[in-house]
Amino acid sequence: MRIIVTGGAGFIGSAVVRQLIRQTDARVLNLDALTYAGSLSNIASVSDNPRHHFLKADIRNFDAVARAFAEFQPDGVIHLAAESHVDRSIDGPRAFLETNVTGTCNMLEAARGYYGGLTGAARDGFRFLHVSTDEVFGELGPEGRFTETSSYRPGSPYAATKAAADHLVRAWQRSFGLPCLITSCSNNYGPYQYPEKLIPVLVNNAVAGRSLPIYGTGENVRDWLYVEDHAAALRLVLDRGRVGETYNIGGDSERTNIAIARTVCALLDEMRPDSPACPHERLIRLVTDRPGHDLRYAMDASKITAELGWRPVETFETGLGKTVRWYLENTDWTEAVLNGGEIGRRGLSDRRGMD
């Protein structure tokens, strides 16, 4: 197969690309604009493989996207490119509209034009997979989980733009017959995650002896999904998912933010017992909550399990252990990313990276 992966130098996208190159015989066009969250170092391990092709392009540029379809002739698309950090969407929502909504529209229109020229088996086999988020559903109460039919109630500019993109994908399928699928995932974690997210912030700050900022009371709950498990699920949905369907992907690992912080601190105490910051839990600080901070998300992933046989391989404990150790062993990666991005110029602030 020939697969376009947008956002393939980002956190989740690079995991998908690495798996496709290492575990299949697919040819991959990795399309990424290399904004602050994308890095060629994320794909360095596969960059020399002849089946991996990198194209620096922005999905906001329709002509560039259309040329990519025409020249690469894909059998499928995994659309991951997006602005994804909630705090950034509150600080500057326009960029989220431009990338997540207009960019997705460009992807759909380019795919529609390309799909219209396909015939036979190529047309029958083409798929467009759009990767969404549990945040489109808004806030859960203390019980229950989001299903694929849950109502949309986005609570942040980020979530609203992802919800809009979901609706565009469904509209392009119904109006134009483009064979689309959608996945909605819970909070990802793992190696190569941009250092403004919760778990990298905790590890990197603790190692440096800095405070570990947690929003509000720390009781906000998220369902955590190891990124390699998510990548495997996306490959499976592209290959075997039913056109027109949405599949929830979750890790069945609900944790409060404060519990995450304490667990990371306990792992660091074990892995770095000689650190002057031990015990690391004493670095935890509760800070002013962010606007519109949803209390709880949790995903019901029974549909993808029943239909496609997917289950996460990693438990939260095994995945978190691998993740913390990876960051401890790859400080050069973190330093390079921070020095090249906005955070590197600004410095980590106490209101970033809470979930």
Side-chain angles (χ1 to χ4, degrees):
M1 289 189 66
R2 302 172 68 86
I3 301 171
I4 292 178
V5 179
T6 68
F11 170 46
I12 300 172
S14 66
V16 172
V17 168
R18 292 191 302 269
Q19 283 192 16
L20 285 169
I21 295 301
R22 290 171 177 169
Q23 300 178 23
T24 77
D25 60 359
R27 302 187 72 86
V28 177
L29 177 63
N30 183 344
L31 191 157
D32 198 294
L34 295 181
T35 59
Y36 73 94
S39 173
L40 293 177
S41 63
N42 296 352
I43 51 173
S45 62
V46 298
S47 60
D48 291 335
N49 190 293
R51 292 184 289 106
H52 176 260
H53 310 272
F54 180 77
L55 173 65
K56 184 179 180 181
D58 194 320
I59 62 171
R60 295 175 298 178
N61 182 335
F62 174 77
D63 290 340
V65 171
R67 282 196 301 271
F69 274 89
E71 294 174 6
F72 189 68
Q73 299 283 300
D75 301 300
V77 177
I78 302 178
H79 176 41
L80 282 144
E83 293 281 352
S84 65
H85 196 268
V86 175
D87 279 358
R88 286 177 180 267
S89 79
I90 293 170
D91 292 342
R94 185 176 298 278
F96 286 71
L97 286 165
E98 292 170 350
T99 298
N100 299 356
V101 181
T102 301
T104 297
C105 179
N106 285 342
M107 287 296 301
L108 289 166
E109 277 293 87
R112 180 166 75 101
Y114 169 73
Y115 179 68
L118 296 179
T119 59
R123 184 177 178 86
D124 293 341
F126 182 79
R127 299 290 184 269
F128 185 105
L129 170 56
H130 170 66
V131 182
S132 188
T133 170
D134 55 4
E135 299 207 27
V136 299
F137 301 125
E139 187 174 66
L140 270 174
E143 304 293 333
R145 296 184 177 188
F146 295 128
T147 70
E148 288 80 1
T149 59
S150 293
S151 298
Y152 276 42
R153 296 183 299 169
S156 69
Y158 162 63
T161 58
K162 290 297 289 186
D166 292 2
H167 292 317
L168 290 177
V169 172
R170 294 189 177 101
W172 257 247
Q173 179 172 344
R174 289 195 61 182
S175 297
F176 307 119
L178 187 66
C180 297
L181 306 99
I182 296 175
T183 57
S184 296
C185 69
S186 57
N187 271 38
N188 279 226
Y189 70 99
Y192 298 101
Q193 187 169 30
Y194 192 70
E196 71 183 358
K197 299 290 189 172
L198 175 61
I199 291 172
V201 165
L202 293 173
V203 176
N204 295 327
N205 279 21
V207 167
R210 296 192 296 262
S211 66
L212 309 181
I214 300 295
Y215 278 141
T217 63
E219 297 302 318
N220 300 75
V221 176
R222 298 294 182 264
D223 173 24
W224 292 88
L225 173 65
Y226 192 62
V227 67
E228 296 291 339
D229 285 329
H230 186 197
L234 295 178
R235 291 168 43 212
L236 186 62
V237 171
L238 183 71
D239 185 47
R240 293 174 45 200
R242 290 186 291 138
V243 169
E245 293 296 317
T246 298
Y247 295 90
N248 283 357
I249 306 171
D252 194 24
S253 297
E254 290 183 57
R255 300 290 190 280
T256 63
N257 288 345
I258 193 69
I260 297 290
R262 289 168 178 156
T263 304
V264 168
C265 288
L267 286 168
L268 289 172
D269 290 347
E270 294 176 11
M271 296 178 187
R272 292 287 177 88
D274 297 330
S275 168
C278 278
H280 293 87
E281 188 171 331
R282 66 185 175 83
L283 299 174
I284 295 174
R285 301 287 185 271
L286 299 181
V287 300
T288 302
D289 208 352
R290 74 165 177 233
H293 194 182
D294 292 331
L295 179 62
R296 176 174 174 261
Y297 305 145
M299 296 292 267
D300 180 347
S302 58
K303 178 177 176 179
I304 191 173
T305 299
E307 290 193 11
L308 305 181
W310 176 86
R311 288 181 178 82
V313 173
E314 300 292 342
T315 66
F316 183 72
E317 289 70 28
T318 62
L320 187 62
K322 290 181 178 181
T323 301
V324 171
R325 188 170 298 281
W326 187 89
Y327 279 99
L328 291 177
E329 295 175 351
N330 290 273
T331 55
D332 54 343
W333 178 88
T334 299
E335 290 173 5
V337 170
L338 292 180
N339 289 335
E342 184 181 341
I343 285 183
R345 295 190 296 271
R346 179 182 64 226
L348 285 167
S349 75
D350 279 353
R351 62 181 302 271
R352 303 263 170 193
M354 301 309 124
D355 78 50

